[in-house]
Amino acid sequence: MVRYFSIFFIIIFFVQAVPAESRENKKKSPKHITSSGNYFVKKEEKNFSLLMEARRFGRGEVIYLRLTPKDKKWINESYKVSWLGKDVILTKRENSMIAFLPISPDTPAGAMTLEIVSKIFFVKRGQKQYQIILEPTKFQVIKKNQQIKVDEKFVTKELPKEVLDFIQECKNAKELAFSKSSQLQFQKNFKNPLESIYITSKFYVRRDYNNKQGRPHGGVDFRGKTGTPVYAIQDGTVVLAQKTYYEGNFTIIDHGNKIFSFYMHQDEIKVKVGEQVKQGQQIGTVGTTGMSTGPHLHLGAKINGVLVDPLSLIALQSISESN
């Protein structure tokens, strides 16, 4: 059983979003932290219980959601959940429904809204909204005197037509891969992609390349020697495995419910498109292909079209419990 420890210096507010004249009294729900370092919010409603787990409730993070009806026969009823205005893909797991809620690194400050629509849960109104306060997040900014030097071909627009055509082909292949849709393919917690973990660049770091401002870093970089085995962080299906211009040898794995992990700059790719892979299976090796300054693995994650810190997925501890 997971043990919860109260912390007194941070409070998360769950409020019912209804007209002011009929609004219920706001109830403060304390956020709890476990020995793993993650935060949990539990709420007991009349007809269901709600669990939310996250490494933190901030930009670029992932929230794991579990809804458990009080009556087991209700698990087959129709439910709709939306998060920040977008529909959420729910998966039935035993006597609960689970989902993964992404928080964009560009989410504006303020409250985030979770809406649950159910005539079973909310007989009178048919729906209820919860607001979660977004915690402050400051992503690292690399100073100009610490800019990264890369081959000029990666930062200039003056390229031969055949190179520009290849870049467009790579873009089309990536878009096609991320458009894939499948049912949830895993039941366990995520794991690290390398046996030895040493992070060299965090998620959404802002930095310059050759005196030109680059995009925020869309993943996490892990140090590794060329040839070091790279492992799948979760069960899934390979939807892209090829050489690309910027990412080098690039692999994308579909884990279902629009959850993807991707692996860049590999020396070798050891899987093929369409292949079913298991968590911990070797899918490639560390390298320095594409827009890279040295051997490393760039690990990324995308949920429902939103880039998130892959470490926030790996940090989740409640996925296996739902089994």
Side-chain angles (χ1 to χ4, degrees), residues 61-73:
E61 300 291 306
V62 178
I63 299 175
Y64 174 73
L65 171 70
R66 184 191 301 157
L67 297 174
T68 306
K70 294 293 179 66
D71 191 327
K72 294 182 179 179
K73 67 182 180 183

Side-chain angles (χ1 to χ4, degrees), residues 56-62 103-104 112 134-137:
R56 60 189 300 270
F57 293 88
R59 294 182 178 90
E61 300 291 306
V62 178
I103 307 174
S104 169
M112 304 176 291
L134 180 68
E135 295 180 13
T137 303

Side-chain angles (χ1 to χ4, degrees), residues 241-260:
Q242 69 177 63
K243 179 181 179 180
T244 57
Y245 188 76
Y246 294 105
E247 299 85 359
N249 289 329
F250 191 32
T251 301
I252 302 177
I253 300 178
D254 171 22
H255 304 293
N257 286 14
K258 303 298 289 184
I259 301 171
F260 299 89

Side-chain angles (χ1 to χ4, degrees), residues 28-283:
K28 296 180 180 180
S29 296
K31 187 164 55 176
H32 299 278
I33 185 170
T34 67
S35 56
S36 69
N38 290 355
Y39 293 95
F40 290 77
V41 173
K42 294 186 70 177
K43 189 163 182 68
E44 294 293 333
E45 295 283 7
K46 179 180 179 181
N47 295 322
F48 70 97
S49 62
L50 178 150
L51 168 71
M52 301 180 78
E53 178 198 1
R55 186 176 62 168
R56 60 189 300 270
F57 293 88
R59 294 182 178 90
E61 300 291 306
V62 178
I63 299 175
Y64 174 73
L65 171 70
R66 184 191 301 157
L67 297 174
T68 306
K70 294 293 179 66
D71 191 327
K72 294 182 179 179
K73 67 182 180 183
W74 293 343
I75 191 64
N76 295 316
E77 295 293 332
S78 176
Y79 304 96
K80 179 181 178 182
V81 175
S82 64
W83 170 247
L84 298 176
K86 297 179 67 174
D87 288 345
V88 171
I89 303 174
L90 292 172
T91 294
K92 295 177 183 177
R93 182 69 53 79
E94 296 296 331
N95 298 317
S96 301
M97 290 166 291
I98 65 171
F100 295 82
L101 315 178
I103 307 174
S104 169
D106 299 316
T107 299
M112 304 176 291
T113 302
L114 172 72
E115 181 180 62
I116 303 174
V117 178
S118 169
K119 292 182 180 180
I120 295 293
F121 288 167
F122 315 109
V123 179
K124 293 182 179 180
R125 299 186 181 92
Q127 62 85 29
K128 189 172 184 179
Q129 292 183 342
Y130 300 92
Q131 290 187 333
I132 304 170
I133 304 302
L134 180 68
E135 295 180 13
T137 303
K138 289 186 177 180
F139 296 111
Q140 183 182 7
V141 178
I142 302 297
K143 298 178 181 179
K144 289 186 177 181
N145 61 356
Q146 296 176 322
Q147 65 174 304
I148 296 175
K149 295 289 185 180
V150 296
D151 193 313
E152 190 64 22
K153 69 180 182 180
F154 293 116
V155 295
T156 181
K157 295 182 179 179
E158 298 178 1
L159 295 168
K161 183 180 183 303
E162 59 269 22
V163 175
L164 293 174
D165 289 343
F166 178 60
I167 292 175
Q168 185 61 48
E169 290 175 8
C170 295
K171 180 181 178 181
N172 294 340
K174 289 181 286 186
E175 290 178 350
L176 179 61
F178 285 125
S179 70
K180 300 294 183 180
S181 181
S182 67
Q183 294 183 342
L184 200 65
Q185 301 184 45
F186 60 91
Q187 297 186 1
K188 300 178 293 185
N189 298 331
F190 287 76
K191 289 189 176 180
N192 286 313
L194 302 176
E195 289 185 0
S196 179
I197 299 301
Y198 186 92
I199 297 172
T200 57
S201 185
K202 297 179 180 180
F203 177 73
Y204 233 58
V205 170
R206 297 177 184 272
R207 55 195 181 188
D208 294 341
Y209 298 91
N210 299 10
N211 292 316
K212 297 179 182 178
Q213 186 175 26
R215 297 179 180 178
H217 192 224
V220 174
D221 287 348
F222 298 88
R223 178 184 295 174
K225 295 181 180 180
T226 298
T228 300
V230 174
Y231 305 107
I233 64 173
Q234 189 56 273
D235 298 350
T237 304
V238 178
V239 291
L240 186 140
Q242 69 177 63
K243 179 181 179 180
T244 57
Y245 188 76
Y246 294 105
E247 299 85 359
N249 289 329
F250 191 32
T251 301
I252 302 177
I253 300 178
D254 171 22
H255 304 293
N257 286 14
K258 303 298 289 184
I259 301 171
F260 299 89
S261 62
F262 52 93
Y263 312 75
M264 295 164 46
H265 310 305
Q266 298 171 95
D267 187 57
E268 287 185 89
I269 298 174
K270 294 186 176 292
V271 289
K272 298 180 180 179
V273 172
E275 184 175 343
Q276 301 284 328
V277 296
K278 292 294 183 180
Q279 181 189 77
Q281 177 181 333
Q282 184 178 359
I283 60 172

